[in-house]
Amino acid sequence: MIEQFPTGDATTFEPRTPAAVERAASERDRIAEKVAAFGEFRERVAAVSVTNANRQGGRSAGSSGGRSAGSALAVGTTGADASGGAATVREAFRETVLPYADAESMQEAMADELSPELTAALSPAAGGFSTGLKRQLLSQADQRRKECRLLAEGIEGERDRVRDIADELSDMTDWLADADETPLLQLGFEELRARHDRLAEFRATCDRIAAERQAAIRETRNDGLTGIRESELLAHLYGEFSDAHPVLADLAELDAVLADCQRAVRSHLCARV
């Protein structure tokens, strides 16, 4: 703003917040689909029959070819191991939850989403599919749905907040671009002072948003015994960004631009005194 804006002005400012909004929106949709996937997984687990051996204290009911009649499944069997129910549960997980898991392998995904203990109990070598195991799986599916809903709500809130911040940043950069159309030499003293005051207001806005953002990062969202830390949510969303906190990075960069513009205006103000 010596003649117009100094080098590195708003025309070179490339905000990260729009990408953050898009990321939050797409991840919110993915987690919502994961909630539905756990719902389908739970329904399929509920439909699986437990083995007669487990129902009768470990004694196998009359069987043919060594296989308990109680191992007949409500959902198609995909394995020939002794626990057809466990095989069916593994296949249900593969077809429902696995596409939304972060782990690279099926085994790792089941351990992450269900627990290492339940994953071990569902292995081909573990034995029959008991009533207790089925009950634990249903409970874990309910818990994971609850956690994913909380995560989806947190991401939705983050998307809305960042979208509002992006709008405020856009208002400021639009004003800077419009103001840059008029060289400072063409402005009178009062016009320069008004411009300086407006830039000060913008810097105060950046400070306010940054303070609110930093306070939000320290928060924890709770739903009964389930909680999610805001810092963990942001790491989940922006872990692959070049800046771990894109909003704060935008605010710092824009504030630096505004400070440069203020200095340029003050220089002209001093020259007019």
Side-chain angles (χ1 to χ4, degrees):
M1 265 191 178
I2 295 175
E3 286 301 326
Q4 293 170 292
F5 284 140
T7 302
D9 62 8
T11 61
T12 63
F13 174 57
E14 297 181 1
R16 306 155 183 82
T17 47
V21 173
E22 292 179 6
R23 165 64 178 157
S26 63
E27 184 62 6
R28 194 275 175 200
D29 291 344
R30 188 184 77 86
I31 298 300
E33 291 173 1
K34 189 173 183 178
V35 172
F38 265 112
E40 182 180 351
F41 173 71
R42 190 194 189 286
E43 290 179 0
R44 292 176 64 168
V45 171
V48 178
S49 298
V50 298
T51 58
N52 274 356
N54 285 299
R55 290 173 180 169
Q56 299 182 16
R59 293 185 297 105
S60 176
S63 60
S64 174
R67 180 168 180 170
S68 167
S71 64
L73 306 177
V75 183
T77 301
T78 60
D81 56 83
S83 178
T88 301
V89 171
R90 291 196 301 274
E91 186 62 20
F93 182 90
R94 183 189 305 276
E95 294 177 355
T96 58
V97 178
L98 182 60
Y100 303 98
D102 295 325
E104 295 182 359
S105 70
M106 170 81 166
Q107 190 77 4
E108 292 174 348
M110 290 184 69
D112 286 348
E113 300 290 350
L114 301 179
S115 82
E117 294 76 17
L118 288 177
T119 301
L122 290 168
S123 68
F129 184 67
S130 68
T131 300
L133 176 56
K134 180 176 181 177
R135 185 183 302 114
Q136 290 180 63
L137 283 168
L138 293 175
S139 177
Q140 181 64 8
D142 287 339
Q143 179 65 19
R144 290 297 292 126
R145 278 199 299 177
K146 183 178 181 179
E147 292 169 350
C148 288
R149 284 195 188 101
L150 181 61
L151 178 59
E153 291 170 2
I155 293 173
E156 185 172 16
E158 167 68 3
R159 179 201 62 192
D160 292 343
R161 287 191 300 275
V162 176
R163 185 169 54 194
D164 290 343
I165 293 171
D167 290 341
E168 290 195 78
L169 295 180
S170 180
D171 289 343
M172 288 186 276
T173 55
D174 287 347
W175 183 90
L176 288 171
D178 290 341
D180 192 40
E181 297 296 320
T182 304
L184 296 178
L185 288 171
Q186 295 183 11
L187 300 177
F189 184 85
E190 293 301 325
E191 291 173 312
L192 286 170
R193 188 166 65 176
R195 183 167 293 192
H196 187 275
D197 291 345
R198 187 66 180 275
L199 291 167
E201 292 173 2
F202 286 159
R203 296 193 67 190
T205 297
C206 288
D207 288 343
R208 172 183 58 79
I209 297 173
E212 292 172 351
R213 186 71 175 171
Q214 290 167 339
I217 291 172
R218 295 189 290 268
E219 291 181 355
T220 298
R221 297 175 178 276
N222 293 291
D223 181 11
L225 297 178
T226 302
I228 179 171
R229 293 180 179 176
E230 194 75 10
S231 58
E232 294 174 350
L233 185 149
L234 299 184
H236 172 82
L237 286 174
Y238 311 129
E240 297 181 358
F241 277 49
S242 58
D243 294 287
H245 296 283
V247 173
L248 292 176
D250 273 0
L251 291 167
E253 185 175 344
L254 181 56
D255 183 69
V257 171
L258 293 168
D260 286 343
C261 294
Q262 268 195 310
R263 281 191 289 270
V265 173
R266 278 199 301 272
S267 176
H268 279 259
L269 282 169
C270 292
R272 308 292 175 86
V273 174

